Amino acid sequence: MSRDLTIDLRSDTVTRPTVEMRRAIADAEVGDDVFGEDPTVNRLQERVADMMDKEAALFVPSGSMANQTAIRAQTQPGDEIIAHGDSHIYHYEGGAPFALSGCSIRFLSGAGGLFTAEQVADAVRPPDSHFPRTRLVVIENTHNRGGGTIWSLDAIREIRTVADEHGLSMHMDGARLMNACVATGHSPADYAQSFDTVSTCFSKGLGAPVGSAVAGSREVIGRVHRFRKMFGGGMRQAGHLAAAAVYALDHHVERLADDHANARRFATALADIPGFIVDVEAVETNIVYVDLSSDVCSARDFCDRVGAKGVRILPVAPHRIRAVTHLDVSTADIDRAVHVILQSFRA
Ligand code: TLP
């Protein structure tokens, strides 16, 4: 299979299936999953439920659908969600909590996309008809806009205690949960234990072309199933996609450690360039944010200049760029990307 020479650091969503993964996709046994008859989807769902130590799991087309079906299944219109102000469910899912679930969001702040149990306790609305009804806490692990930050199990457990005191459900946006697991040595079930629902993606660092899953109790996943259909996510011979996810779970989890090392390597090299501001110690997984001081150039100009030399990086704010490492980026690619940046920007 030919690969072009571009080094694409815009996201870990850009990976293309490996030859072996394509073979698994082609060979998959399939059926009609809307009838519940796709053996490969069923196998994947059982595997994810097992991995998260939950009763059930459901395969869905995207991380956004995983989050939004889980939110819809655990709220009613007029309810309020507690989430970080930098959360993906708010910034990058098209306003879905408001549009599809009719919920408001109470935003919390905190470095790296993290917040505390005390902040949650303070944000819960008293039972008064003036207020929306606080219903759900959403935690993103790892935290994308926070810089791939990992939540500690202790912080999560403290929040669970507050949630229980107030009868709140908890959802984890675990699009990159496996990155957190590989970096810490905790299992998916260790993290999932404190949550009613957990979403996870196969199409980020795990390198599958499509697909996510939501895990939880049989009862809540039954409701997620209904909303998956309502939101247009019922798929037919989806076993071809599920086969890629199974392959990714078998072969692409442990290697996430390489992505983390590459992200550190990239951050460390850029931190040495005058005007490039990057907190190397904050790089815990595969996401690197770099602030460019105004005498360097704008993020857009930076990305255009290095893009013209085959290194694709994402501008995320006027002076902020994001680079994400993944399966299709080797350590040699990182060194080449750094070389291109040094050539273009070292005084
Ligand atoms: N994130 C994408 C963009 O949407 C920003 C990326 O390039 O990082 N949760 C988290 C934490 C995510 O980072 C993403 C994707 C999703 C959910 C949504 O997944 P998809 O794109 O499959 O809907």
Side-chain angles (χ1 to χ4, degrees), residues 90-271:
Y90 170 60
H91 279 279
Y92 299 130
E93 298 185 17
F98 313 98
L100 301 182
S101 294
C103 289
S104 54
I105 306 180
R106 193 88 191 260
F107 294 118
L108 301 184
S109 56
L114 311 179
F115 50 82
T116 64
E118 199 182 352
Q119 284 174 280
V120 173
D122 288 346
V124 177
R125 306 276 192 172
D128 177 317
S129 62
H130 289 84
F131 301 127
R133 190 179 65 134
T134 308
R135 196 59 215 100
L136 179 70
V137 181
V138 177
I139 282 175
E140 192 176 309
N141 188 27
T142 65
H143 200 283
N144 183 341
R145 281 169 62 98
T149 343
I150 302 169
W151 276 81
S152 81
L153 286 176
D154 283 348
I156 292 171
R157 286 179 186 139
E158 284 167 24
I159 292 172
R160 179 76 250 183
T161 303
V162 171
D164 286 341
E165 281 163 16
H166 297 277
L168 312 179
S169 297
M170 283 178 58
H171 172 69
M172 173 160 62
D173 175 352
R176 298 186 179 83
L177 177 60
M178 290 305 166
N179 293 83
C181 291
V182 166
T184 59
H186 298 317
S187 71
D190 290 337
Y191 282 112
Q193 191 185 30
S194 299
F195 294 88
D196 299 280
T197 49
V198 176
S199 63
T200 196
C201 291
F202 311 109
S203 61
K204 309 283 177 301
L206 295 187
V210 177
S212 297
V214 193
S217 68
R218 222 178 299 288
E219 197 253 325
V220 76
I221 295 304
R223 273 183 282 139
V224 168
H225 197 160
R226 177 176 174 72
F227 291 114
R228 182 185 72 173
K229 187 70 183 141
M230 189 188 284
F231 295 171
M235 297 181 286
R236 300 295 178 172
Q237 285 69 36
H240 288 299
L241 303 176
V246 170
Y247 183 90
L249 289 173
D250 285 339
H251 299 280
H252 292 170
V253 174
E254 295 311 320
R255 63 150 308 286
L256 292 172
D258 301 342
D259 297 344
H260 301 169
N262 282 337
R264 268 285 172 119
R265 190 179 180 93
F266 185 74
T268 307
L270 264 61

